[in-house]
Each structure stands twice: as C-alpha cells, then as structure tokens.
Amino acid sequence: MSVFKSSDGTKINYEITGSGEPLIMIHGMNGNMRMFEYNKEQLSATYQVITYDVRGHGQSDRPYSYTIDDHIDDCLELLSHLQLKKAHLLGYSMGSYIALGVTSRYPRKVDKLILVGAKAHATVSSFARLMMEHRNEIKNKPKEEVKKILDHHIYYNQEKVRSWQQLVNDYSQLDANEEAAASRSITGFDYRETLNKLPNETLLIAGRYDNLNAPEESQYIAERIPNGRMVLFEHSGHAPLVEESERFAEEIKMFLA
C-alpha cells in the first residue's frame, strides 16, 4: 500500500500489482479498492494493475464535502504521481462516472476505456432513485431488511455478492455522514454532449438484471462513442466483476490485447 497527496492535501491510498501496461481500476460508491479482489490476480498477470481508494472511501482521507471534479482531479494526479503519460482506465459504477469524466477532459491520457455498470448523466444518485422507486416496499423496515430487499433489485447472484460485500466491508465501511457525502459527490454530472467526441476505444460491460444502472444506460453510451461497444452479461446484475468474474477478466484481457 502507498499514499500520495492530491493538490488540496487529501491523502489517497493506492496499490500496484503486477507489471506491464498500466491499468487503473476505480471502484464504486461506498466501496473501496477491495471491490477488485476477484479480478486483480488474473489481470495483474498481464498488466500493471493500479487500484486506489477514492477520496471519502477506504483508507483514503474522508473530507466532509467533495465533488465529482475532485474525484477526476485525484485520478489525473495519480497518473502524474506515478509518472504515467497514459493508462488504460476501468471504472465500476461510480468509478465509471469518474473514468468517463477523466476521458472527457483529457482523452490523450487514457489509452483504452472500460465502463462497468455505467451511465452518462445523473441528477440524483442511482441508489437514491432506486430507494424512491421502492419506497413502499422498504417503508418502516430496519436497515438490514432494506438492504436485502434492494440487493435483490440490484444483483443477480446473491451468494457471490454477499461474500464480496463482506470482503469489502472487512477492509473499511462508511458511516451515515460519509455515505451522504459520497452520494452528493456523484450528482449533477452530464457527459452526453462529449460522448461522440471521444476517440478512445471503449468497452461497456452491463449485467442483464441490473436495476441500479440498467443495461440501456450502457447501450446509450456505446452507441454514441465512435469506437464503443457493449457486452451484456446474462447472469449478472450490477456486479458482473463478481457475479461472472472469470468471464469479466477474459473480456477485459481480450479487449485490451
């Protein structure tokens, strides 16, 4: 594990595994770099895999307030800190919004782009929207019961996802205020006008049963990026990186090769 300071003094925790062309992997909201534990070993056999805890998460600093622009700056500064002129970029869920933001601003710093469970714009977080849609179903339920109900709308393979979530939570968890700050940071972004200007080869990965960021959101992006295409995972919800982890790693290796 290593640490660098972003331009505003925020400490960002990162880890490098393997060697080869650099591949930066950006995790989802309320998660941490351990979200990629199921994939890192396979990918690091061929690539220099760089994972990090985005600000507000994991072992990185957790400021009270930050924005998606801060997330984008942190990723760019990680590239600079590691003296990388460019890297492949993979973003999962919230990480896909950050990766798309980095690529929209500085496409030459990104080699190939992989977006998992993505969307191109948001006025509220996907989780907040899902809670509103199922408000009658979760009304007056305890927190753990609410989580079980919503997980059935988000994921397909519940058994695999539970083990994965435990691995992530054992590394770090956010309290209610930190979760709220994380949620606020990914509202109000819109990349729709930039998609057709991106020159990067782009792979969209979506799970058929994802009701958090539906496959149609990924298809929308894939159809507008000139060198974009989408792969649909038939036995996954919002976490194909876990629900179909072996296929996930193979699709990425084929795309990057």
Side-chain angles (χ1 to χ4, degrees), residues 35 38-39 92-93 116-117 151 154-157 160-162 164-165 205-213 233 235-245 248:
M35 283 186 153
Y38 284 57
N39 324 112
Y92 165 59
S93 194
V116 186
D151 274 0
I154 297 171
Y155 306 111
Y156 179 74
N157 191 319
K160 282 188 176 181
V161 166
R162 278 194 296 272
W164 173 63
Q165 289 174 333
I205 295 177
R208 178 172 293 282
Y209 300 99
D210 185 356
N211 291 304
L212 197 63
N213 288 339
F233 280 44
H235 305 290
S236 292
H238 190 62
L241 68 168
V242 175
E243 297 174 271
E244 296 179 73
S245 58
F248 182 82

Side-chain angles (χ1 to χ4, degrees), residues 181-192:
S183 182
R184 288 194 301 269
S185 75
I186 55 170
T187 59
F189 67 88
D190 192 341
Y191 301 123
R192 288 175 292 184

Side-chain angles (χ1 to χ4, degrees), residues 55-229:
R55 68 169 58 207
H57 297 71
Q59 304 301 320
S60 293
D61 284 348
R62 301 182 184 184
Y64 174 72
S65 179
Y66 50 95
T67 68
I68 194 163
D69 287 332
D70 293 319
H71 287 311
I72 292 167
D73 289 341
D74 291 342
C75 185
L76 290 166
E77 289 179 37
L78 177 59
L79 276 165
S80 178
H81 172 75
L82 297 175
Q83 299 181 324
L84 297 174
K85 291 184 178 180
K86 63 178 356 184
H88 302 303
L89 210 55
L90 183 154
Y92 165 59
S93 194
M94 175 186 74
S96 72
Y97 319 152
I98 299 169
L100 194 50
V102 170
T103 311
S104 295
R105 276 200 208 170
Y106 297 100
R108 292 184 180 180
K109 290 185 177 292
V110 179
D111 196 340
K112 293 185 178 182
L113 177 64
I114 303 161
L115 304 174
V116 186
K119 62 182 179 182
H121 68 101
T123 52
V124 299
S125 76
S126 297
F127 192 74
R129 188 254 314 147
L130 190 71
M131 288 183 69
M132 181 61 66
E133 289 176 357
H134 297 281
R135 58 189 178 278
N136 293 330
E137 196 176 350
I138 63 177
K139 186 178 179 180
N140 298 326
K141 298 284 196 309
K143 185 176 180 180
E144 282 304 309
E145 184 65 21
V146 169
K147 182 183 181 304
K148 287 180 182 178
I149 292 169
L150 294 179
D151 274 0
H152 279 282
H153 293 289
I154 297 171
Y155 306 111
Y156 179 74
N157 191 319
Q158 299 295 317
E159 185 177 351
K160 282 188 176 181
V161 166
R162 278 194 296 272
S163 299
W164 173 63
Q165 289 174 333
Q166 189 61 54
L167 178 70
V168 171
N169 290 337
D170 285 346
Y171 175 72
S172 75
Q173 296 186 57
L174 306 188
D175 63 28
N177 290 329
E178 290 165 343
E179 285 185 7
S183 182
R184 288 194 301 269
S185 75
I186 55 170
T187 59
F189 67 88
D190 192 341
Y191 301 123
R192 288 175 292 184
E193 295 301 317
T194 69
L195 296 177
N196 64 359
K197 302 179 182 69
L198 297 184
N200 314 73
E201 285 187 61
T202 304
L203 175 66
L204 279 294
I205 295 177
R208 178 172 293 282
Y209 300 99
D210 185 356
N211 291 304
L212 197 63
N213 288 339
E216 291 78 12
E217 301 275 11
S218 290
Q219 188 64 45
Y220 176 92
I221 297 171
E223 289 174 354
R224 285 158 179 78
I225 294 179
N227 294 312
R229 67 181 179 88

